[in-house]
Amino acid sequence: MSYGGGEAAKAASSGAAKITDRVTERIWARAAEWTLNPGRLLFAPDGALSRSLIVGVAVLFTLPTVNYFWKYEGGPGNLFFVSSVTLTLAAGVLLAFRRVLVASVLANALVGIVATVAWAKHQAMDMALHAYDLVFYLSSSSTIGFLWRDFRIYVVALMAAVAATAIAAAVAHRFDARPVRRRTAFVAFVALAIVTTIAAEVKGERRHTQYYWNGFHISSFYSSWAETVEALWRGQLIEAANSAPGAHFAMPTECAATTNPPHIILIHQESLVPPAYFPTLAYDHRVDRLFASQDGKVHRLRVETYGGASWLTEFAVLTGLSTHSFGGMQQFVQPLMAGKLRDTLPEALGRCGYRNVVFYPLERNFVSNAKFYASVGLKEMFDAEDQGAKTDNERDRFYFGNALNEIARHLQQSRRPLFTMIFTMATHSPYDTAFMPEVDVPGGGPGTDPEMNEYLRRLAMAQIDYDDLRREIARRFPGERFVIVQYGDHHPIATRTLLGLSNKLDAEDILLPLESPGFMTYYAVEGINYQPPPLPEVETLDVPYMPLVILNAARLPLSDSFRERQRMLAACNGRYFTCEPRDTVLAFHRRLIDSGLIDAH
């Protein structure tokens, strides 16, 4: 037996040697042929371009793409992903046209065009290119008109690039006269598709806010295909039942309020969560009064984001809809739904005579907020530049002071009720440096995590500034009635260790289950010269019900859609997206669509 094994090994070794010799002989023969006739490097015997030249030119076309990926598409996981997807696209083109040069031209041109368009979009809107943009902007004459009117130079440049690519592909097809066998192209396509699937797993989930970064343009675009297909398969952006019983919701044209409503101040408290939610945390309990409503209770609010992406909470507060209901498009609800929603909170207030203004701490084009705000009825915006902000995170009293001054100007000129939405920023991350270190306020007790200690310092300043705001309102406007509503938009990243997570994780990389305490913040309602009605008696309120809470706090009449929300709040015990049965919410969405209050496409 051992003798037979030795003979087999010897035969195998001999066979391998013969194959190696044959390959070597062929290479040397080809090299000798090229030496005698250098033209064979460029042309085949029939006069067409040689395969080696075609492959060389294709590689040459690919070098700029390789360089771009290396510089701008992140680490090994991202590089593996974008490279495999691009090669799969090239294989698909090869399968269709059977020409290596055509595949190289079209695949590399696609990368160049996507990268350029993504850069231009980010410059204009502070957002990266998304696959659904092709559906969104090309699906109606109004969006095409918007592009032509506001971004004509970019549209012309894109058309020129597409035309140049088509010409280059036609030229490549003309000169590449050596078609690849379709079976070979198919095998390559299938193999690369499998590799791409593996690469997507290696890369992992796209970071939550990556869509708003100035970078990773190709990987962001490729990653967005899956959620775009999901939305197209669903047939609409928001989840909804196929049909729903009940009459259409009527859109009121006027407000039936019988008394002069109070002014409303809505405070978007950046990264605020009651520290009392963490029993092991040692802190100065004087900050607890910041979170209490006029009834003396702390009311729990379930939001839909952790550590960042405040625009998700803003969307729910202004529209009364859950961002979870948009599936994989959740992060993009504001730009995608701008102009597609009716009967929002600001619109309901506008019907009742309110003047709506917002004090925003960043530039107005951040994540395209100004366009979304205007589309839902918040047409007057004071951004960072309007307010004279010197940093992105001024102390709360800076924004409160600007709002107080505008309230005073308004009351001198008008008797209309005023809705003022104010964003704060002092408690925003990062927490590795002291915010206003000259201010002597308590942080955490001994042994508190340094980031949490800094967060608690900022929380103490927030509590001081809010108390000052209430006093100033009462002092400066003694004859006016106000209702103040505030809410925490999400947890600060400083709570991640208290939630059992690693302090090495960034907010963009943290995925929490829907029932996680990491989504639990608060809302509070109190009046000045005004007694608000009781708040909903539920253990936790989901954030889409906040517009209803605000309208009820001001004792304003409710439209049909908000009366249905009132019914749902009771039936679902304060839950929205996770309401049981799910048909309740899905039927509500269908009625909103059928009533023309949501354009779901």
Side-chain angles (χ1 to χ4, degrees):
M1 186 175 292
S2 62
Y3 176 77
E7 286 295 312
K10 183 177 180 181
S13 175
S14 174
K18 289 179 181 179
I19 293 173
T20 303
D21 290 343
R22 218 166 15 241
V23 170
T24 303
E25 288 174 5
R26 180 173 292 183
I27 292 173
W28 280 110
R30 181 62 59 87
E33 184 181 347
W34 287 342
T35 301
L36 294 174
N37 185 7
R40 292 294 302 275
L41 276 170
L42 304 178
F43 301 99
D46 59 3
L49 294 180
S50 69
R51 176 68 70 202
S52 57
L53 178 60
I54 289 170
V55 172
V57 173
V59 171
L60 190 64
F61 284 167
T62 306
L63 290 179
T65 297
V66 172
N67 181 63
Y68 178 85
F69 285 173
W70 183 261
K71 284 185 176 180
Y72 301 111
E73 289 298 328
N78 257 26
L79 288 173
F80 183 27
F81 175 68
V82 294
S83 299
S84 59
V85 174
T86 305
L87 287 172
T88 303
L89 291 173
V93 176
L94 185 63
L95 180 61
F97 294 98
R98 301 178 60 197
R99 300 295 193 276
V100 172
L101 206 54
V102 173
S104 176
V105 167
L106 291 180
N108 288 294
L110 172 67
V111 171
I113 290 172
V114 168
T116 304
V117 172
W119 173 86
K121 183 186 176 186
H122 198 278
Q123 294 298 305
M125 304 179 182
D126 221 21
M127 295 180 292
L129 185 66
H130 191 282
Y132 195 80
D133 287 336
L134 299 175
V135 180
F136 180 77
Y137 286 107
L138 301 180
S139 61
S140 69
S141 58
S142 61
T143 51
I144 293 174
F146 161 74
L147 290 175
W148 184 251
R149 183 182 63 253
D150 291 2
F151 302 101
R152 185 171 305 178
I153 188 172
Y154 294 115
V155 173
V156 171
L158 175 60
M159 293 168 63
V162 171
T165 299
I167 293 172
V171 172
H173 192 279
R174 167 67 180 80
F175 282 96
D176 186 354
R178 301 233 168 246
V180 175
R181 287 193 303 174
R182 205 172 293 279
R183 182 190 301 175
T184 302
F186 178 75
V187 170
F189 177 77
V190 171
L192 285 167
I194 294 172
V195 171
T196 296
T197 303
I198 297 171
E201 291 296 321
V202 171
K203 179 183 73 69
E205 293 289 333
R206 180 189 57 219
R207 305 183 82 186
H208 303 322
T209 58
Q210 185 174 319
Y211 184 65
Y212 301 96
W213 295 358
N214 187 18
F216 292 4
H217 289 319
I218 305 301
S219 57
S220 293
F221 180 69
Y222 287 167
S223 297
S224 67
W225 292 356
E227 59 218 17
T228 298
V229 170
E230 174 195 346
L232 294 175
W233 181 264
R234 190 166 57 230
Q236 58 207 13
L237 288 169
I238 190 171
E239 295 178 339
N242 293 327
S243 61
H248 288 179
F249 298 129
M251 179 69 172
T253 57
E254 57 184 21
C255 179
T258 57
T259 59
N260 292 327
H263 305 292
I264 301 172
I265 296 177
L266 176 63
I267 305 177
H268 174 106
Q269 296 279 25
E270 174 63 42
S271 303
L272 244 60
V273 62
Y277 288 177
F278 302 99
T280 61
L281 188 62
Y283 67 97
D284 183 351
H285 287 268
R286 285 178 294 181
V287 301
D288 289 342
R289 66 174 180 265
L290 172 63
F291 305 100
S293 290
Q294 192 147 325
D295 58 12
K297 301 177 183 177
V298 175
H299 295 269
R300 296 161 67 89
L301 181 71
R302 183 183 289 107
V303 296
E304 299 176 343
T305 182
Y306 175 82
S310 299
W311 51 87
L312 302 182
T313 307
E314 296 168 37
F315 180 87
V317 168
L318 293 173
T319 69
L321 297 171
S322 169
T323 63
H324 290 315
S325 298
F326 292 83
M329 306 298 255
Q330 179 188 23
Q331 284 288 340
F332 326 121
V333 285
Q334 286 202 12
L336 286 178
M337 297 308 293
K340 297 187 174 187
L341 301 170
R342 305 290 180 273
D343 204 17
T344 62
L345 170 65
E347 287 179 336
L349 295 172
R351 288 196 299 267
C352 291
Y354 279 82
R355 175 194 169 205
N356 300 328
V357 300
V358 56
F359 287 84
Y360 193 66
L362 303 174
E363 294 182 359
R364 65 181 61 243
N365 72 331
F366 177 68
V367 299
S368 220
N369 266 345
K371 180 181 178 183
F372 173 73
Y373 290 161
S375 76
V376 297
L378 267 177
K379 299 184 184 298
E380 292 188 61
M381 183 178 189
F382 297 90
D383 71 354
E385 182 178 353
D386 298 326
Q387 297 185 70
K390 296 180 180 179
T391 68
D392 288 342
N393 61 332
E394 300 285 345
R395 186 166 168 176
D396 293 359
R397 61 179 51 176
F398 170 82
Y399 307 111
F400 292 161
N402 288 331
L404 286 169
N405 291 337
E406 183 59 30
I407 292 171
R409 282 191 292 270
H410 172 82
L411 293 177
Q412 289 173 358
Q413 302 169 6
S414 173
R415 293 310 306 160
R416 292 176 62 189
L418 181 64
F419 171 66
T420 307
M421 186 173 186
I422 309 171
F423 286 76
T424 65
M425 279 293 285
T427 46
H428 195 289
S429 61
Y431 307 109
D432 54 358
T433 57
F435 180 80
M436 300 187 72
E438 69 279 6
V439 179
D440 184 17
V441 288
T448 302
D449 178 83
E451 285 193 345
M452 176 54 68
N453 184 73
E454 173 57 23
Y455 168 73
L456 291 170
R457 283 190 67 256
R458 301 184 193 190
L459 184 57
M461 284 185 258
Q463 181 260 313
I464 292 170
D465 291 353
Y466 179 71
D467 283 350
D468 288 346
L469 171 67
R470 293 175 66 259
R471 281 192 294 267
E472 279 298 292
I473 291 173
R475 183 185 69 82
R476 294 177 64 171
F477 315 114
E480 300 290 337
R481 300 188 306 160
F482 289 84
V483 58
I484 305 176
V485 181
Q486 50 160 323
Y487 63 89
D489 65 331
H490 54 70
H491 274 230
I493 190 67
T495 65
R496 61 191 185 277
T497 56
L498 296 172
L499 296 169
L501 302 170
S502 168
N503 62 2
K504 304 298 183 184
L505 289 173
D506 292 330
E508 292 88 352
D509 298 317
I510 293 175
L511 295 174
L512 299 175
L514 291 176
E515 300 298 323
S516 170
F519 292 128
M520 205 65 61
T521 65
Y522 80 103
Y523 74 98
V525 179
E526 58 183 324
I528 296 177
N529 302 323
Y530 176 77
Q531 180 63 45
L535 296 176
E537 293 185 1
V538 294
E539 180 181 358
T540 302
L541 186 79
D542 280 7
V543 67
Y545 291 114
M546 279 301 296
L548 178 66
V549 168
I550 294 166
L551 293 173
N552 283 336
R555 292 188 170 87
L556 296 173
L558 302 178
S559 66
D560 287 353
S561 68
F562 277 103
R563 280 196 292 271
E564 180 62 14
R565 287 183 174 91
Q566 185 86 66
R567 187 196 69 79
M568 286 169 53
L569 190 157
C572 300
N573 195 30
R575 290 180 174 269
Y576 191 99
F577 182 73
T578 56
C579 173
E580 292 294 343
R582 285 272 291 140
D583 291 347
T584 302
V585 175
L586 297 180
F588 175 59
H589 290 169
R590 173 49 57 189
R591 293 179 68 190
L592 289 174
I593 294 170
D594 292 346
S595 303
L597 301 184
I598 294 181
D599 177 358
H601 300 94

